[in-house]
Amino acid sequence: MRCPRCELSHIKKNGRTHYSKQNHACLNCGRQFVADAHRIDETTRALVKKLLLERLSLRGICRVLEVSLTWLLQFIDELYAHLPDDLGVQSVSPDRAIEMFCLEVQADELWSFVGCKANKQWLWLALDPCSRQVLAFYVGDRSRDSARELWLRLPASYRKYATFSTDDWEAYRGIIPPAQHQVCPKGSGQTNAIERFNCTLRQRVSRLVRQTLSFSKKLANHIGAIKFFICHYNQEVIRQP
């Protein structure tokens, strides 16, 4: 028997796991492991990533793929930690400086919760209706501070040149420059793209469904699941002709 990390045989018994299996510890590097443990192959890991993009609960994924919830939680922690902060947005080419004056952004807020419905978490979104890419998002309350966080996460070219279409929520005032801000009443059709994306989010991310048992217990996992889907969505949009 060898340590799976350093591959040395200097090991000792180290109690039992909560599954009643014999646990071992490496005397060289301190790694704890179970002999002949079930290793998750790359095919299963890739399938987990696909299932995380569908409206399935974590326990549902465990049942389908026969993996433990402990392993799945550790896997998604690592997955979410390595997501790009720019959400995979394809930047505007510098050669298109004239067209940058025609940039448009639609922004909206989406209600969600973590732990219980009393703990409301608003998802702020900014989307380019032409490229259909999600430019930025922020999870917080519905105050002006959250609107400012969304604004600061936008690419600099959009903050400087884009026209922003939003609803009449007061938090946007004072954050978006008045010359770039266009308030759109309900039914005007000028925020259809972001409203449609809100529907896509609720259909694909189970944590955002209003009546659901798949809600997040940790804010970090809530944000990570949303970010994971948005990064995947942006990549799919870029690939489409």
Side-chain angles (χ1 to χ4, degrees):
M1 188 183 302
R2 294 182 179 274
C3 172
R5 176 186 293 168
C6 64
E7 298 186 351
L8 295 180
S9 59
H10 303 296
I11 59 176
K12 67 175 183 178
K13 292 183 177 180
N14 190 38
R16 292 185 176 273
T17 68
H18 59 284
Y19 294 112
S20 299
K21 293 185 177 181
Q22 181 63 58
N23 193 36
H24 298 82
C26 177
L27 297 176
N28 180 58
C29 66
R31 167 70 184 272
Q32 297 188 39
F33 64 95
V34 176
D36 301 324
H38 175 62
R39 305 298 176 189
I40 309 299
D41 56 27
E42 291 301 321
T43 301
T44 303
R45 291 171 183 264
L47 187 54
V48 168
K49 292 180 181 179
K50 289 184 177 181
L51 293 178
L52 287 172
L53 296 168
E54 303 297 333
R55 205 166 78 177
L56 291 176
S57 66
L58 297 185
R59 292 187 183 275
I61 295 175
C62 292
R63 289 191 294 268
V64 171
L65 299 182
E66 297 182 347
V67 298
S68 71
L69 182 61
T70 300
W71 176 86
L72 182 59
L73 291 173
Q74 293 174 347
F75 177 78
I76 64 175
D77 281 345
E78 295 177 3
L79 177 65
Y80 295 164
H82 290 86
L83 293 174
D85 290 333
D86 62 2
L87 306 180
V89 174
Q90 191 176 46
S91 60
V92 178
S93 172
D95 299 330
R96 298 170 55 196
I98 296 177
E99 295 182 11
M100 288 177 65
F101 289 97
C102 298
L103 290 176
E104 297 180 17
V105 176
Q106 295 181 13
D108 197 18
E109 324 86 58
L110 183 70
W111 178 84
S112 63
F113 67 94
V114 173
C116 64
K117 290 187 177 180
N119 184 18
K120 294 182 179 181
Q121 299 293 331
W122 289 88
L123 170 59
W124 295 72
L125 293 162
L127 179 140
D128 185 331
C130 297
S131 68
R132 293 185 296 152
Q133 294 184 98
V134 180
L135 303 172
F137 83 99
Y138 179 72
V139 177
D141 56 18
R142 212 183 180 195
S143 68
R144 188 165 295 179
D145 291 337
S146 295
R148 182 178 294 104
E149 287 292 334
L150 178 69
W151 172 259
L152 294 176
R153 295 180 182 214
L154 287 166
S157 57
Y158 284 88
R159 293 201 305 267
K160 188 173 182 180
Y161 297 110
T163 299
F164 290 80
S165 299
T166 72
D167 56 20
D168 197 21
W169 181 240
E170 60 182 4
Y172 292 110
R173 300 190 185 97
I175 303 300
I176 303 175
Q180 296 174 249
H181 191 196
Q182 181 179 2
V183 177
C184 306
K186 290 186 178 296
S188 65
Q190 294 174 297
T191 56
N192 280 356
I194 188 69
E195 295 287 353
R196 179 62 184 84
F197 181 72
N198 287 348
C199 293
T200 299
L201 272 176
R202 291 200 186 277
Q203 287 295 320
R204 299 290 298 277
V205 183
S206 60
R207 301 166 191 252
L208 298 177
V209 180
R210 294 181 184 273
Q211 300 291 338
T212 182
L213 293 176
S214 301
F215 58 87
S216 303
K217 295 182 179 179
K218 290 173 55 179
L219 180 59
N221 286 347
H222 188 71
I223 296 173
I226 295 169
K227 188 175 183 180
F228 181 55
F229 177 80
I230 290 177
C231 289
H232 171 79
Y233 175 85
N234 281 344
Q235 292 300 314
E236 289 296 313
V237 168
I238 292 172
R239 294 192 192 102
Q240 293 176 4

